[in-house]
Each structure stands twice: as structure tokens, then as C-alpha cells.
């Protein structure tokens, strides 16, 4: 039994993000593909190999910047540890949460790099009403992340605030450098992660580094697993529920009359948010699951007749059931 526990704990600390090929715009062969992760990686750990990417685990520092910029959730880390830490922080006496980078020297829950912070984490803090402080170290010359991590964090917060705007309750977020006074911050770790944190203490220098383990492979036969955790949490974070007539910013595609009823849009969709149903009497229906759409717009770029265009805002009811965006009597 103990050996099994040790084996599981030994998996914590794997820095390489999970890569789900069917969600990658390269694998989907979308027009223009995508090289965001390759361009963004500050350590040259990501290479483009045909219709896939390859991550060099020897070069990857786990900064998370590739995950931040991936438009389709093909690259991801487990959001449970940072979300749990934010949730725990909100339940403390002062009702505040902090996340800091491993190089900052600050106490409290730490991520390898604040490049791991995504809009879902910030939006969830807003949904829980938990003030969140993000403490970064000296990013210039950092061996883990990149010089512009603070600027990237600002954009992440802005994206989360746009998502939260229709709820009427913006997230309370502060992004700032860590100071010497932050070294004494309490180390808040959930009971779920406490044992793993103690076990790692002998081989990790950073007190409070949030526990993690590699995510299991996505079971593509399960439709709910096709949607990245990031976008599932963005949807869950729309609380308080927006009023029925207040639009939510959630970029997704619509189809116009130039559509030739080909299957390209459904073929390239990285989460299969667009599905094509054949009607018994002939023809086809095109359905959009808005909650599953990551807004990557691969369908828009790949549409042969240029019949698809993005719509930025949707009323809350659009999330309740798949939307009929095309009903045709013909099929290509």
C-alpha cells in the first residue's frame, strides 16, 4: 500500500503540460495552423513536427506560458491545485488568497511560474468573491518564465474581467512584485495537498509549491472530456448568473448564406463544438455547443466560401442547449 502511495506522490512535480492532439489546430489541419506555443516558449522546448507539436521535457521549465496562449486547450495543466488554493484562501479569517511564483521568495501557495495563471482561475476568484493577489519575482533573466510575465498577467486579468462583466461583480485582483514583507505570508495548503507538500519538502526548495501530477489522457469517446477544463471553469464562473438580457462575451462562430454545406468547420473544430447532423429527409443541420467553443476561430479561417464569421457576444440562454446555426436541404 505504501509503495503505491509513494509512487503516486512521485508523480507530483512533472513540469510538462498535457498535450491533447485532437484539440491542436495543427492536428486538425486548420487553415493557417497555429504556432502560438512554439513562438511563446522562452526556452525553445516546443517544436513543430508536421501536424503535431513535440515538447522537450529536458528544456521545459513548466512556466505555463504555452498553456496561456493555446487557443484551443490542446496544452493544459491541472487547474485543481490553484483553484483549491484560491478557494481555501477565501475561507481564511482575512478572506484573501495569494498565488506567487516559485522564484519570488514570498511565502504562501506558489506556482512554478505565474504563467500558469489563466482567466479561469481569476474568474473563479471573482465568482467566489475572494480577493486575489498575484505576486511575481524579478522576471528579467528568470530561469523559469519570461521577462514579460507581469504584462501577460495583466492581459489574463483583463480577459477574466471581460468575462465577469455581465455578472456585475468584477474579480478583485492585484498583480505586483513580491517584497521582503511577503516572505512571512502564511502557507495555505488544502488538506488534500498537505501530505504531498510535506513529502516533497526534502527535494524541493520552494516551501508551499502547490502539488500537481500529470493529467490523464483525454478519453475522446467521452464528449464532456473534449472541452478543456479551462473553458469549463470559465462557464462555471459566470455567477452570479447574468440577467437574461445581458450579453456575455464569448467569441464563437455564426454561418451566413454563403455556406455550401461542406463538413470543413466540423472537421477542424478542436473540441467538436460544431457538429453536423444528417436529417432523415435529406440535408443537414449544423449545431454549435457554445459552452464547448474555445473561440479559436479555426472554422472561420478554414471555411472555403468564407461563410463563417465570429460573434463576440451572446445572451445567457445561448449556453443552455446546442444552437442551430445552419439548416440545409443539401449536403456536400
Amino acid at each position: 500500500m505504501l509503495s503505491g502511495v509513494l509512487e503516486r506522490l512521485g508523480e507530483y512535480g512533472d513540469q510538462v503540460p498535457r498535450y491533447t492532439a485532437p484539440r491542436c489546430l495543427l492536428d486538425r489541419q486548420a487553415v493557417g495552423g497555429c504556432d502560438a506555443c512554439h513562438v511563446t516558449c522562452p526556452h525553445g522546448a516546443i517544436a513543430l513536427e508536421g501536424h503535431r507539436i513535440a515538447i522537450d521535457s529536458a528544456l521545459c521549465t513548466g512556466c505555463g506560458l504555452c498553456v496561456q496562449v493555446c487557443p484551443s486547450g490542446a496544452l493544459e495543466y491541472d487547474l485543481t491545485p490553484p483553484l483549491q488554493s484560491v478557494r481555501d484562501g477565501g475561507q481564511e479569517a482575512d478572506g484573501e488568497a495569494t498565488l506567487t511564483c516559485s522564484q519570488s521568495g514570498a511565502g504562501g501557495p506558489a506556482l512554478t511560474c505565474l504563467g500558469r495563471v489563466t482567466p479561469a482561475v481569476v474568474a473563479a476568484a471573482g465568482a467566489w468573491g475572494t480577493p486575489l493577489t498575484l505576486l511575481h519575482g524579478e522576471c528579467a533573466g528568470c530561469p523559469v518564465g519570461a521577462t514579460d510575465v507581469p504584462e501577460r498577467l495583466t492581459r489574463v486579468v483583463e480577459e477574466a474581467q471581460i468575462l465577469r462583466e455581465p455578472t456585475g461583480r468584477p474579480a478583485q485582483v492585484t498583480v505586483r512584485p513580491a517584497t521582503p514583507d511577503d516572505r512571512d505570508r502564511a502557507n495555505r495548503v488544502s488538506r488534500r495537498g498537505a501530505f504531498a507538500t510535506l513529502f516533497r519538502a526534502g527535494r524541493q526548495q520552494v516551501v508551499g509549491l502547490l502539488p500537481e501530477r500529470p493529467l490523464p489522457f483525454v478519453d475522446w469517446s467521452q464528449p464532456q472530456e473534449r472541452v478543456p477544463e479551462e473553458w469549463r471553469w470559465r462557464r462555471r464562473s459566470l455567477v452570479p448568473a447574468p440577467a437574461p438580457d445581458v450579453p456575455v462575451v464569448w467569441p464563437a462562430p455564426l454561418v451566413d448564406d454563403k455556406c455550401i454545406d461542406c463538413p470543413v468547420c466540423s472537421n477542424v473544430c478542436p473540441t467538436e463544438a460544431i457538429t453536423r447532423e444528417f436529417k432523415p429527409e435529406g440535408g443537414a443541420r449544423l449545431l454549435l455547443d457554445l459552452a464547448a467553443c474555445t473561440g479559436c476561430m479555426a472554422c472561420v479561417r478554414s471555411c472555403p466560401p468564407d461563410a463563417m464569421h465570429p460573434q463576440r457576444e451572446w445572451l445567457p440562454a445561448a449556453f443552455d442547449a446546442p444552437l442551430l446555426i445552419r439548416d440545409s436541404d443539401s449536403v456536400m
Side-chain angles (χ1 to χ4, degrees):
M1 179 177 175
L2 179 59
S3 63
V5 172
L6 295 177
E7 181 180 351
R8 290 173 65 86
L9 289 176
E11 293 175 345
Y12 283 92
D14 191 312
Q15 299 296 317
V16 178
R18 175 172 70 178
Y19 172 56
T20 303
R23 290 194 197 134
C24 182
L25 301 189
L26 286 179
D27 187 85
R28 287 283 179 172
Q29 299 186 42
V31 170
C34 180
D35 63 354
C37 59
H38 170 71
V39 171
T40 299
C41 181
H43 306 289
I46 301 179
L48 307 182
E49 297 183 351
H51 294 299
R52 291 203 171 194
I53 68 167
I55 304 176
D56 187 335
S57 59
L59 296 176
C60 178
T61 64
C63 66
L65 294 175
C66 58
V67 173
Q68 263 190 6
V69 300
C70 181
S72 61
L75 292 170
E76 56 187 337
Y77 286 109
D78 186 4
L79 290 180
T80 303
L83 286 170
Q84 184 67 55
S85 181
V86 172
R87 187 67 164 164
D88 289 350
Q91 295 172 348
E92 293 290 330
D94 58 8
E96 297 183 358
T98 64
L99 290 173
T100 185
C101 78
S102 63
Q103 306 297 299
S104 71
L111 295 166
T112 306
C113 172
L114 290 187
R116 297 278 193 102
V117 177
T118 64
V121 174
V122 176
W128 294 325
T130 301
L132 175 62
T133 299
L134 301 173
L135 302 172
H136 61 82
E138 178 54 59
C139 296
C142 176
V144 177
T147 302
D148 62 346
V149 164
E151 290 76 15
R152 290 173 183 266
L153 277 177
T154 299
R155 292 195 291 270
V156 165
V157 171
E158 289 173 351
E159 186 174 351
Q161 297 290 32
I162 290 172
L163 178 62
R164 290 209 51 75
E165 187 173 349
T167 71
R169 193 170 74 189
Q172 303 172 60
V173 188
T174 301
V175 179
R176 66 171 176 83
T179 68
D181 291 340
D182 293 315
R183 293 182 183 276
D184 296 329
R185 283 181 173 269
N187 179 28
R188 300 179 183 136
V189 180
S190 68
R191 283 186 295 176
R192 178 183 301 177
F195 179 54
T197 301
L198 290 172
F199 182 83
R200 293 193 325 273
R203 61 187 178 89
Q204 289 186 335
Q205 299 299 314
V206 182
V207 176
L209 191 63
L210 293 174
E212 62 177 303
R213 61 175 300 172
L215 290 167
F217 288 111
V218 171
D219 182 353
W220 204 255
S221 67
Q222 301 297 320
Q224 66 271 18
E225 291 197 29
R226 298 171 192 168
V227 183
E229 189 181 19
E230 168 71 19
W231 275 267
R232 279 183 276 167
W233 270 101
R234 291 189 192 190
R235 175 71 183 93
R236 291 172 188 154
S237 298
L238 285 173
V239 291
D245 60 344
V246 176
V248 175
V249 174
W250 193 283
L254 280 178
V255 185
D256 62 32
D257 291 338
K258 294 194 295 291
C259 178
I260 58 175
D261 303 306
C262 73
V264 170
C265 57
S266 59
N267 287 347
V268 301
C269 182
T271 57
E272 299 190 2
I274 299 177
T275 54
R276 194 165 174 248
E277 290 185 353
F278 295 103
K279 301 188 294 186
E281 66 274 19
R285 291 155 40 102
L286 210 58
L287 300 172
L288 169 68
D289 182 351
L290 186 62
C293 179
T294 68
C296 70
M297 299 303 161
C299 54
V300 174
R301 295 194 306 272
S302 302
C303 180
D306 196 25
M308 305 196 81
H309 56 89
Q311 177 164 302
R312 180 173 169 80
E313 296 181 340
W314 304 78
L315 293 179
F319 290 93
D320 294 342
L323 303 172
L324 178 64
I325 57 176
R326 173 75 174 173
D327 193 343
S328 174
D329 294 328
S330 63
V331 177
M332 175 177 267

